[in-house]
Amino acid sequence: MIAIGEPVSGIIHLVRDRGDFAKSYQKNKGRSLWALIKGSLRWRLYHKQVRALARQVPNLTVRYEDLARDPNKTLDAIFAFIGVPSLHLTELKPGLSEVWHFMGNSSLVRFDGTIAQSRYTLTGFEGALIRVLAGKDHA
């Protein structure tokens, strides 16, 4: 939107654990080492782009893991950032249709209001590779 001259009031930057992101990417792209490398580099690129944009407009970083662990507290922060009264997940659930997509591969067709956190096990090599390629973790 900024690139085409449209006003942007702010950015909500959703960050998922870099290892989980890279392993999920690998799982969806063929489970090869190359897919793990690409997933790690994509994670780095996405967050580099958001950091550049965040210098221009207000921003809020939301960790996916916090959203899964304590959705209502995280939603409170999001709604406060947007400047509207907060709603908790139980208040939002009745308005969800069967085809509403919130996030995550498991909810592409249906979202029942449960935010599931996928955790992947990394080998020592995978963890080191992801840390080198993806760069620093973002909090």
Side-chain angles (χ1 to χ4, degrees), residues 2-130:
I2 293 170
I4 62 171
E6 291 295 323
V8 174
S9 300
I11 297 170
I12 298 174
H13 178 199
L14 181 64
V15 178
R16 184 177 183 186
D17 174 83
R18 61 189 169 188
D20 286 339
F21 180 94
K23 287 293 283 189
S24 178
Y25 185 89
Q26 180 189 39
K27 176 182 146 191
N28 291 311
K29 298 295 182 178
R31 301 187 190 270
S32 69
L33 179 60
W34 180 241
L36 185 69
I37 291 168
K38 283 178 71 176
S40 300
L41 293 172
R42 281 184 184 269
W43 189 93
R44 182 180 198 132
L45 176 63
Y46 292 153
H47 299 300
K48 180 180 178 184
Q49 290 172 328
V50 171
R51 283 192 312 276
L53 290 172
R55 289 192 285 271
Q56 301 174 46
V57 296
N59 61 88
L60 172 70
T61 297
V62 175
R63 295 194 55 81
Y64 178 85
E65 292 76 16
D66 294 340
L67 188 57
R69 182 177 45 257
D70 193 347
N72 291 326
K73 181 179 177 184
T74 307
L75 286 171
D76 286 342
I78 292 169
F79 284 123
F81 177 75
I82 295 171
V84 298
S86 188
L87 293 172
H88 283 183
L89 203 51
T90 55
E91 297 170 287
L92 294 170
K93 279 184 181 183
L96 302 179
S97 72
E98 289 186 11
V99 295
W100 191 74
H101 172 63
F102 188 68
M103 68 174 55
N105 293 329
S106 64
S107 62
L108 287 173
V109 178
R110 288 181 171 74
F111 176 66
D112 67 359
T114 302
I115 301 169
Q117 180 180 349
S118 295
R119 296 298 311 199
Y120 291 89
T121 302
L122 303 174
T123 66
F125 172 75
E126 289 172 332
L129 181 65
I130 291 167

